[in-house]
Structures are given as C-alpha cells and as structure tokens.
Amino acid sequence: GDTENDGNRAGDGNTAASGTSGRGGDGGGIRANSGVAVTLDGTQVAHNVAGTGGDNNASSLGGRGGDGGGASTAGNVSVSTSRIHDNRAGAGGQSVSSTGGNGGVGGGIAVSGVASAILTLDDSEVADNAAGSGGASSTSTGGGGGAGGGFRFAGSEVSITSSLIAGNSAGDGGAGNSGGTGGSAGGFDVVGISGSTPSIDVTASTIRDNTAGNGGAGSSDGLAGRTGGGQISDSPSAVVTDSLVTGNSTERGGGGLYLIDSSSSIANSTLDTNFANGGGALWVSGGVLTVASTTFGSNTAPIASTLNNEGASVTVSRTALVDPLGGGNHCAGDVLIDGGDNVEQEPDGPGSCGVA
C-alpha cells in the first residue's frame, strides 16, 4: 500500500558567538549516504524541512542551509507513482558583520556526491517545494538563495516520464547592505560534478508555474535567479519530448528553460505563457539546440519573448512562434538556423528569429 513521510525536520546549525556557524542538516524527510539507493513507490513525502544554518554574531559567515527538504541522497533515486510536495530546504543563517549564509538547494529532492548517480521520476508529482532563502547580513551582503525548488541533481542521468513539476520555487536572496542573489531554477537544476556530465530526458511531462528566487533587498538589491522552470548545464544530451512548459517565471533570463553549454533538443512540445526579463520561454547559452514540431506562444519578455540565443547553434524546423508579449519580439541574440516549415507571427512585421 501507499506509504507516507510527513512533517519531519533536520537539525539546525549552531549559532556562533565566535568562529564558524554550523551548517543546517540535510534531508528533512529522508537522508541517504553515499552509494545507498532510495526507491519511492506509491509514497508521499511532504511537509519536511531541512535544517536552518546557524546565525553568526561575530565576524564570520552565517551557516549554510541544509539541502533536500524532502530527501537528500548521494546515490540513485527512483520515484514512481509518488508525490513529493510542500517540502523546504534550509534557510541560510544570519550574520552580524559578514555575508549571510546561502540557502540550501533542492526543496523537494537534492542528489549530489556520486558522479554515477541516476534520478528517475515516473508518473509522479514534485510540487510546491521551496529551496532555502539566503540569510540576512547586518553590514555586508545577504546570502544567496538556494537553487532547484523542485529538485537539484548533480550526477550522471535524469529521466522524467509522465510527471508533473509544478509550483516550486528557488530561494530568495537575503537582505543586506547589498542584497543576495536569488536562487535559480524554480522547477529543477541539473548540473555536472567532477567526473560526470549529466544527461536528462523529459518525456510526456509538464513543468508549470515554477518561480526563480528574487534578489534580496539592500542599498543595492540583489539579482534575481535565472529561469523559473528548469536549468540544465553541461549536458551531452538534454531531450524534451511531448511535454508542456508553461506559466514559469523569473525576473532575469529564461522563463521556461535555461540551457547552458549543452547538446539539447525540444520536439513535439509546447512552451507558452512563461515570463522573464529576457528569453520569455527559453535562454540558450552556448552548445547546440534543435527545435522541431513545437509551439511557442504567449510568452512574455521585454527582450526576446520567446528565445534569447547567446552563442549557441540553434536550428528550428516545423515550429510555430506566435503571439509574443511584453514588448519584445520573438528572438534576440545570435542568428538561428532555419530548418524549414516554420510559422513566425510578430506584430511589427518580419519575424525577428529569421526562420519563416
């Protein structure tokens, strides 16, 4: 039958009157050490909280928040017909005279520490989780918000099939003389670690209504985090097929997806009603991207409502780019390659993407 892991909390870091503040404990609901596989089948992991970093009343940094509000692992994770929801990574600790502690990563799930690690989500939901907020600083810079509101993965391979990643948020930056930077990737953050470049396959899934972290308040406010939906870095194979990316938002770049130095493809999918300051649906920085049989519509940004290309080779075919909102045309940045049979509609005349 179904099992439930609900309402647990990892330990908080110690408060320091001198020296270094403690780090918040990882894994509010589940903590698995290196090499231990975690299997969740018909399971609910909910309302768990990783530990808060310790405050520092001396001249050192605030403690870092714990990772993985729902689960923190250093091995393979398999999630099937399960719900990971309403979990929270740890907030960073405050500091009197140095930088606030950074927020913990992976509000729902954090996977890190083993280059060969694999994360599988099948017919499951990762929803309404939050990465940790940065700690405040009385005289210096606020801590950075944690990345990956739904999950943060550092390892070898991610597979997401028939699943929902929704309503998650990256952590806000902490307040300070200078505000801390908001966390990136409200939905998910996929990165490599030493000895591994991660592949990711998203099939028949929905990524919606996720948000990046806001910058912290200060005499100079911190930058917001990148991308509301998903961020993928240094991937030799990042594939999105038969999926919907919608309603994700950031005050920075890449509302739906942010692809960094990856070999990526998007096919038979829809990216619509996402919001950003640039690249409303998509920001591509380096690497290669092919887009086929996909619809971009009603995405919003003052610059590049659909796609901002920063030095990538991007080929678009059999794709519709319609209804750009927010004052920006569809595309900005480097020129795209027209693979043929595209439709591009803009209010100002010829399409800015140059692929129709």
Side-chain angles (χ1 to χ4, degrees):
D2 292 349
T3 56
E4 184 171 314
N5 184 306
D6 195 309
N8 302 292
R9 183 183 179 99
D12 296 336
N14 66 290
T15 295
S18 62
T20 304
S21 299
R23 187 185 189 282
D26 296 334
I30 299 168
R31 171 73 186 273
N33 294 324
S34 179
V36 176
V38 173
T39 299
L40 304 175
D41 187 0
T43 300
Q44 176 173 260
V45 180
H47 306 110
N48 302 291
V49 183
T52 299
D55 296 337
N56 195 286
N57 297 325
S59 57
S60 294
L61 306 178
R64 187 183 183 283
D67 298 337
S72 175
T73 80
N76 293 346
V77 181
S78 176
V79 182
S80 178
T81 59
S82 296
R83 293 187 68 215
I84 315 295
H85 68 93
D86 294 286
N87 302 286
R88 181 165 54 84
Q94 301 180 36
S95 178
V96 171
S97 57
S98 186
T99 303
N102 291 335
V105 302
I109 303 172
V111 180
S112 182
V114 175
S116 60
I118 298 171
L119 170 63
T120 303
L121 298 175
D122 182 32
D123 191 24
S124 293
E125 179 180 323
V126 179
D128 302 317
N129 304 285
S133 57
S137 173
S138 301
T139 60
S140 185
T141 303
F151 70 83
R152 186 177 191 271
F153 176 87
S156 173
E157 181 181 337
V158 177
S159 175
I160 303 171
T161 305
S162 302
S163 293
L164 173 68
I165 299 172
N168 304 287
S169 57
D172 292 338
N177 186 43
S178 297
T181 301
S184 294
F188 62 84
D189 187 27
V190 174
V191 300
I193 60 175
S194 179
S196 175
T197 52
S199 66
I200 176 169
D201 189 303
V202 181
T203 303
S205 294
T206 297
I207 302 164
R208 65 168 171 81
D209 300 331
N210 304 286
T211 58
N214 295 314
S219 55
S220 59
D221 293 340
L223 292 173
R226 294 188 297 242
T227 195
Q231 179 169 264
I232 302 168
S233 303
D234 303 315
S235 175
S237 176
V239 179
V240 178
T241 308
D242 298 321
S243 293
L244 173 65
V245 181
T246 184
N248 304 286
S249 63
T250 176
E251 295 295 331
R252 202 166 164 191
L257 297 171
Y258 201 110
L259 308 175
I260 304 170
D261 294 329
S262 296
S263 179
S264 311
S265 67
I266 301 172
N268 300 311
S269 296
T270 298
L271 289 84
D272 67 10
T273 62
N274 301 288
F275 172 88
N277 254 348
L282 183 62
W283 188 294
V284 188
S285 179
V288 177
L289 170 65
T290 60
V291 180
S293 304
T294 289
T295 298
F296 295 90
S298 300
N299 297 289
T300 301
I303 301 171
S305 73
T306 295
L307 188 154
N308 192 93
N309 180 17
E310 187 178 47
S313 174
V314 180
T315 301
V316 180
S317 60
R318 303 183 304 281
T319 288
L321 303 97
V322 297
D323 197 20
L325 302 176
N329 288 326
H330 281 297
C331 293
D334 293 294
V335 174
L336 309 186
I337 300 169
D338 181 6
D341 298 321
N342 298 299
V343 175
E344 187 178 355
Q345 299 174 354
E346 289 185 350
D348 298 333
S352 59
C353 300
V355 294

